[in-house]
Amino acid sequence: MPPQEDVFVEKNKINFKQLATKMLRNWYWLVLSLVLCLALSFIYLRYATPQYFTTSRILLKNDEKASLGDNEIAKALGGQLGSSSSTEGEAEILKTTHLMSKVVKDLKAYVTYFNKGQIKSVNLYKDSPFKLTILGSIDSLKPLTLEVRIKGNKINLSNETFNKEVNYFQPFIVPGLGNVQIEKGPTDAKKDEVYEVNVQTVRQTVAGLIKKLEIAIPIKQTDIISLSLTDPVPQYSEDILNGLIKSYIEGNILDKNKVADSTIAFIDKRLIYVSQELGSIEGNVQSFKQRNKIADITAQSGLLVTSTGSNIEEEAKIQTQLSVLSSVENYLNSSGANERIIPSGALLEDPGFASLVERYNLIVLEKEKSSISKTEDNPYIQNLNNQIAGAKSDMLTSLKGFRKSLEITKDKIQARSGELAGQVRKVPAVERTYLDLSRQQQIKQELYVYLLTKKEETAISKTSNISNCSVIEPPLTMGAVSPVKTNIIGYGVFLGILLPIGIIFIGDRLNNKINSKEDVIAHTTVPVIGEIGKSPVALETIVVEQGSRTPISEQFRALRTNLGFFMKETDKTVLLTSSMSGEGKSFISLNLATVLAISGKKVVVMEMDLRKPNLSNKLNLRNDFGFTNYIVSSELTADSIIKSSGTHENLFIISSGNIPPNPTEIILNSRMDDLMSVLTEKFDYIIIDAPPVGLVTDAQLLSKYADLTLYVVRQGFTIKEQLGIAQDLYLTQKMKNIAILMNDVKIEGRYGYGYGYGYGLEEEKQGFFSKIFKK
């Protein structure tokens, strides 16, 4: 892999060792974060409102009386229904707003009571010392919250726009609620306590409960439905589930009673009509007897009536069936497109028709239930509509067939009646007329008794209707499900550790400044010659002295040693440059020159940053005469611009001189070559303090005289991307023998050489708390 690609991979790789070192170095932030997050966890556990989980189970039982119709519907709808109403459908009904609205209104759940605290409020539910009763309609309520203060029998209610003091059971008007009154609750009010009553619309309360309500079928292919609710008040959850199950059972029974109610209403109408006819015939009989002065029937008439009794009874039954059939037929035809419950098929002695009626009524009830949660465009509803139309057509066809059968039977009976007619002719005319009236009276009486019997049977069957739902597990609160203490503490520990680690990691990834030697290695393949620590005295120019044993002095001595690994014995010239101004080139140049001079070498420092000279000022030397004067004046010699540094006898300096308008042309002058030749002969080392290579080309022009180029980078100052300049110079060989020198490296615990081993002075030992406070 090419060097440039190596740098790219290294630059984008996470240095876990370096990251771990930073984390260990900032361990106190980890401890502080852990303590803070654990404290927040305990505070949260102290004030968080616990949530309790309440659950219940119900069993849907098959209706045996409707099993035939159930099977027919199940087949018609592709097996989607396996009982009188599918488990999935019943589960959807339990979640309907209609059912929950009834529960909310019954329990008055739209009004909640709180004991207001400084940090959190506690839901009192049934333990409130007062109750707010809304005397008007609850359908026009608006959301409202009132603070309540109780002093004896006086109650003060207030919010931002309302303030009123009332007595118990005193009606008064609250904007948004209408006419209300305060009633005493089961508990006594505590002194100086502030309570709060919160009123929501029924719709809001229903929506909130449905959102928290969970309906599930725990085991597939079974008729068991599980209901669960999570709320801060266990008793409230249990009451809601109990109310929901109760309303569901009542609705289920009401659906079953619709068929019986429809049958009884039909029979009542027929009884009124038959009673009128029977009364009319009885009146005719009475008038006939009075007119003809008949007190009793003769023995002959009695014998004839006895012989024809069975025939008359059969004809009465047929007439009754035909009458009921006509009424049912008219009922079906008059309903049109309306889907109404059909009276029980038991009124007609036709088992096939009774089965069709039960099937039709079952589909109509199923549609009524499904319409709560589905629209008319739903395929399921459309399928039910088709089934209703088909069932209705089947019933009408069945009635036609049954009528034909009854007509045939009637004709046979009438034929037998004709045979008896001959015998009747012998009976006196008065008795024969009486016999006809008596026969009509008996038929109507039979019909009247038959209808009364069916009405009683239907009423008895209605009282025996029970719901197909049974509670197998009443609502029971299992305990608090949140907050879980171990989880919250675990989250606190996790966050306490993750937060500082994340901040350090993100800060490290977002930090574009060089902070360590590892950053340099990750961004360039240029070798690192050494590291210079942060100067203990910010304004001190020369930090290296004879016999000095400070950490930074030893680092410069280490740098002097490392020069031997990068330069040959005959090499003398060292050029210092950087990416931008402020990275410490001049500081490094002077102290490197000083440490070489202390070793007995004769050293000269050239101030070659002609655009922004700074070296002479650091040594408090005048800069009005120097290198630029030498270049422009051929009369000057090299010795005329070399002057003592004033810091060491072996250290000399060549100032930049006056700032020229054309620094680049000055450096390219041929006298520069002459000057370098002279300096090479006179000095052991030549240190060239060049301008930043990232800004101008002066440093590259001077690099041809250098045997070693030191590229200075400053910790926490040099941008990582600027190392690309050094990398480019290294790969293209624009500057030969280039090495990177890190400056202003912070020393922690001990100082180290460029190759990373510790040597020299160590920090004074400190106590644990002293270190903490120092951090």
Side-chain angles (χ1 to χ4, degrees):
M1 184 181 291
Q4 190 67 27
E5 293 185 21
D6 285 337
V7 172
F8 178 79
V9 172
E10 190 70 24
K11 181 168 61 176
N12 289 277
K13 187 171 66 175
I14 298 175
N15 192 329
F16 290 101
K17 181 179 179 181
Q18 181 184 357
L19 190 62
T21 302
K22 288 183 179 180
M23 291 174 185
L24 291 174
R25 195 161 55 235
N26 294 277
W27 61 270
Y28 45 89
W29 288 115
L30 185 65
V31 173
L32 182 63
S33 174
L34 194 59
V35 171
L36 181 61
C37 289
L38 281 175
L40 291 175
S41 298
F42 283 108
I43 292 173
Y44 176 79
L45 289 171
R46 170 64 180 83
Y47 293 104
T49 302
Q51 298 290 324
Y52 295 90
F53 182 77
T54 305
T55 184
S56 177
R57 290 191 177 191
I58 60 175
L59 174 66
L60 301 180
K61 296 177 292 185
N62 291 329
D63 192 345
E64 295 179 359
K65 292 188 292 182
S67 60
L68 177 61
D70 294 345
N71 294 334
E72 292 295 328
I73 293 181
K75 293 176 182 178
L77 301 182
Q80 295 178 4
L81 299 176
S83 59
S84 60
S85 48
S86 67
T87 307
E88 292 82 0
E90 297 302 309
E92 287 299 319
I93 292 174
L94 284 165
K95 293 183 70 175
T96 56
T97 56
H98 172 74
L99 209 59
M100 187 61 78
S101 295
K102 190 174 184 304
V103 177
V104 169
K105 291 176 182 178
D106 290 343
L107 295 177
K108 297 182 180 178
Y110 47 85
V111 182
T112 50
Y113 306 91
F114 297 92
N115 188 347
K116 192 174 182 182
Q118 294 182 346
I119 297 179
K120 73 171 184 176
S121 298
V122 179
N123 192 326
L124 298 176
Y125 189 42
K126 293 183 177 180
D127 296 329
S128 173
F130 67 95
K131 296 294 180 184
L132 177 70
T133 301
I134 298 172
L135 302 177
S137 172
I138 62 173
D139 296 327
S140 58
L141 295 179
K142 294 182 180 179
L144 185 70
T145 300
L146 294 170
E147 283 191 359
V148 180
R149 292 175 173 83
I150 302 175
K151 294 182 180 179
N153 290 326
K154 296 291 185 181
I155 305 103
N156 179 266
L157 298 95
S158 63
N159 61 14
E160 296 83 356
T161 58
F162 179 81
N163 192 325
K164 191 173 184 65
E165 189 173 272
V166 297
N167 295 319
Y168 284 110
F169 301 101
Q170 173 190 338
F172 60 97
I173 295 177
V174 178
L177 302 183
N179 199 20
V180 302
Q181 71 179 20
I182 299 296
E183 301 174 0
K184 287 188 176 182
T187 60
D188 295 328
K190 297 180 181 178
K191 186 178 180 181
D192 298 327
E193 286 287 345
V194 179
Y195 299 96
E196 191 175 79
V197 57
N198 183 17
V199 181
Q200 290 184 311
T201 64
V202 174
R203 181 175 295 181
Q204 285 177 324
T205 308
V206 169
L209 287 171
I210 289 179
K211 187 176 181 180
K212 293 193 292 184
L213 178 67
E214 294 183 7
I215 306 291
I217 303 173
I219 304 175
K220 297 298 181 183
Q221 305 302 323
T222 63
D223 295 330
I224 296 176
I225 297 178
S226 172
L227 301 88
S228 58
L229 192 68
T230 303
D231 193 82
V233 183
Q235 185 62 47
Y236 178 74
S237 298
E238 292 177 7
D239 289 347
I240 291 293
L241 291 183
N242 275 321
L244 190 64
I245 294 171
K246 179 183 176 183
S247 297
Y248 172 76
I249 291 174
E250 290 176 351
N252 189 265
I253 295 175
L254 183 62
D255 286 343
K256 290 190 173 185
N257 289 340
K258 281 183 179 180
V259 176
D261 291 337
S262 176
T263 303
I264 291 174
F266 172 79
I267 292 175
D268 285 338
K269 290 180 181 179
R270 292 298 302 161
L271 281 171
I272 293 172
Y273 177 75
V274 172
S275 177
Q276 292 174 348
E277 288 186 337
L278 183 60
S280 177
I281 293 173
E282 288 176 344
N284 292 337
V285 171
Q286 183 179 358
S287 298
F288 180 82
K289 282 184 176 183
Q290 291 175 350
R291 187 170 60 250
N292 293 282
K293 298 179 181 181
I294 297 176
D296 195 7
I297 303 299
T298 62
Q300 184 181 357
S301 300
L303 180 62
L304 185 59
V305 170
T306 301
S307 63
T308 58
S310 60
N311 196 52
I312 293 172
E313 183 178 352
E314 289 181 8
E315 185 177 358
K317 288 183 179 179
I318 295 299
Q319 289 292 350
T320 300
Q321 290 291 303
L322 285 172
S323 177
V324 173
L325 187 147
S326 297
S327 299
V328 173
E329 198 170 38
N330 291 335
Y331 186 84
L332 283 174
N333 291 326
S334 63
S335 65
N338 297 328
E339 295 153 2
R340 299 189 297 176
I341 298 296
I342 302 300
S344 173
L347 293 172
L348 293 173
E349 296 178 356
D350 183 5
F353 180 74
S355 175
L356 291 173
V357 170
E358 288 188 8
R359 177 171 177 267
Y360 175 85
N361 288 339
L362 178 64
I363 300 173
V364 171
L365 289 174
E366 174 65 21
K367 182 183 176 182
E368 288 181 4
K369 291 181 181 179
S370 301
S371 297
I372 297 174
S373 58
K374 297 180 177 64
T375 64
E376 284 293 331
D377 295 331
N378 190 285
Y380 184 75
I381 297 296
Q382 292 179 356
N383 199 346
L384 287 176
N385 288 335
N386 294 334
Q387 293 299 314
I388 290 172
K392 192 172 184 180
S393 176
D394 292 343
M395 284 191 292
L396 289 172
T397 302
S398 178
L399 287 176
K400 289 180 181 178
F402 191 45
R403 177 186 290 277
K404 190 173 182 180
S405 175
L406 290 175
E407 293 288 350
I408 293 172
T409 305
K410 179 182 175 182
D411 291 342
K412 290 181 180 179
I413 293 173
Q414 288 178 347
R416 286 199 302 269
S417 298
E419 292 176 2
L420 294 172
Q423 300 176 15
V424 173
R425 292 190 189 98
K426 298 177 182 180
V427 179
V430 174
E431 291 186 0
R432 187 171 63 249
T433 303
Y434 175 77
L435 184 61
D436 290 336
L437 291 174
S438 179
R439 183 163 57 90
Q440 293 178 20
Q441 182 183 15
Q442 186 177 359
I443 291 172
K444 295 301 179 182
Q445 284 177 341
E446 289 284 345
L447 177 58
Y448 188 81
V449 171
Y450 174 79
L451 290 173
L452 283 177
T453 303
K454 288 299 180 182
K455 180 179 178 180
E456 289 303 315
E457 289 176 354
T458 305
I460 293 171
S461 67
K462 177 181 176 181
T463 60
S464 66
N465 280 340
I466 61 172
S467 174
N468 64 342
C469 167
S470 62
V471 181
I472 59 176
E473 184 179 301
L476 177 66
T477 301
M478 307 303 293
V481 293
S482 70
V484 181
K485 185 176 180 180
T486 53
N487 289 353
I488 298 301
I489 294 175
Y491 296 150
V493 173
F494 178 75
L495 186 62
I497 295 174
L498 183 65
L499 192 62
I501 291 176
I503 292 174
I504 292 172
F505 176 76
I506 294 173
D508 181 71
R509 300 300 290 179
L510 296 179
N511 185 10
N512 64 344
K513 303 294 178 62
I514 294 173
N515 291 295
S516 65
K517 180 180 177 181
E518 287 74 16
D519 288 339
V520 176
I521 295 173
H523 287 76
T524 180
T525 56
V526 180
V528 179
I529 194 172
E531 297 172 277
I532 303 298
K534 188 176 183 66
S535 175
V537 182
L539 299 178
E540 190 173 0
T541 302
I542 304 298
V543 296
V544 180
E545 298 178 358
Q546 185 75 38
S548 172
R549 297 290 295 166
T550 62
I552 194 168
S553 298
E554 291 300 330
Q555 287 176 325
F556 273 107
R557 291 188 178 95
L559 176 60
R560 179 183 63 191
T561 303
N562 291 343
L563 291 178
F565 295 100
F566 287 83
M567 300 174 66
K568 301 175 183 177
E569 292 184 2
T570 57
D571 293 339
K572 295 185 176 184
T573 307
V574 179
L575 182 141
L576 286 91
T577 186
S578 64
S579 303
M580 56 184 174
S581 179
E583 294 179 292
K585 298 188 312 302
S586 301
F587 173 78
I588 298 294
S589 299
L590 288 175
N591 284 279
L592 176 59
T594 301
V595 77
L596 290 171
I598 290 174
S599 66
K601 304 296 182 180
K602 191 175 181 182
V603 185
V604 62
V605 179
M606 299 181 66
E607 187 179 21
M608 296 303 294
D609 192 349
L610 305 181
R611 302 169 192 272
K612 192 178 177 181
N614 190 35
L615 207 59
S616 299
N617 293 335
K618 290 181 178 294
L619 296 175
N620 296 320
L621 299 175
R622 295 182 62 182
N623 194 24
D624 55 355
F625 182 80
F627 173 74
T628 56
N629 302 92
Y630 171 80
I631 295 297
V632 299
S633 177
S634 58
E635 298 177 357
L636 295 176
T637 62
D639 292 333
S640 62
I641 61 173
I642 299 173
K643 48 188 174 184
S644 175
S645 65
T647 59
H648 195 277
E649 59 183 5
N650 289 335
L651 179 58
F652 299 87
I653 185 170
I654 298 178
S655 300
S656 62
N658 296 322
I659 298 176
N662 53 346
T664 303
E665 286 73 13
I666 294 293
I667 294 174
L668 292 173
N669 194 286
S670 59
R671 285 177 59 79
M672 178 66 185
D673 297 334
D674 299 336
L675 176 62
M676 293 304 297
S677 299
V678 173
L679 295 178
T680 303
E681 294 176 0
K682 295 177 66 69
F683 293 94
D684 297 315
Y685 284 98
I686 303 169
I687 308 297
I688 302 177
D689 182 18
V693 73
L695 301 177
V696 292
T697 61
D698 297 1
Q700 294 187 44
L701 297 175
L702 292 169
S703 65
K704 68 177 183 178
Y705 304 107
D707 299 310
L708 173 65
T709 299
L710 297 182
Y711 195 95
V712 180
V713 297
R714 183 179 177 184
Q715 186 185 52
F717 186 84
T718 303
I719 299 173
K720 293 176 182 178
E721 297 301 325
Q722 290 178 329
L723 289 174
I725 301 173
Q727 179 71 8
D728 180 67
L729 295 174
Y730 178 73
L731 294 177
T732 58
Q733 294 294 311
K734 292 179 181 179
M735 285 187 171
K736 58 183 179 179
N737 201 16
I738 186 172
I740 290 177
L741 176 64
M742 286 194 67
N743 183 32
D744 202 23
V745 178
K746 293 179 179 62
I747 303 172
E748 297 185 8
R750 64 177 185 174
Y751 65 88
Y753 291 123
Y755 293 108
Y757 67 90
Y759 175 79
L761 300 178
E762 294 186 356
E763 285 185 343
E764 182 181 353
K765 291 185 178 180
Q766 298 176 338
F768 176 76
F769 291 103
S770 299
K771 291 181 179 179
I772 292 291
F773 287 117
K774 183 178 178 181
K775 294 294 185 184

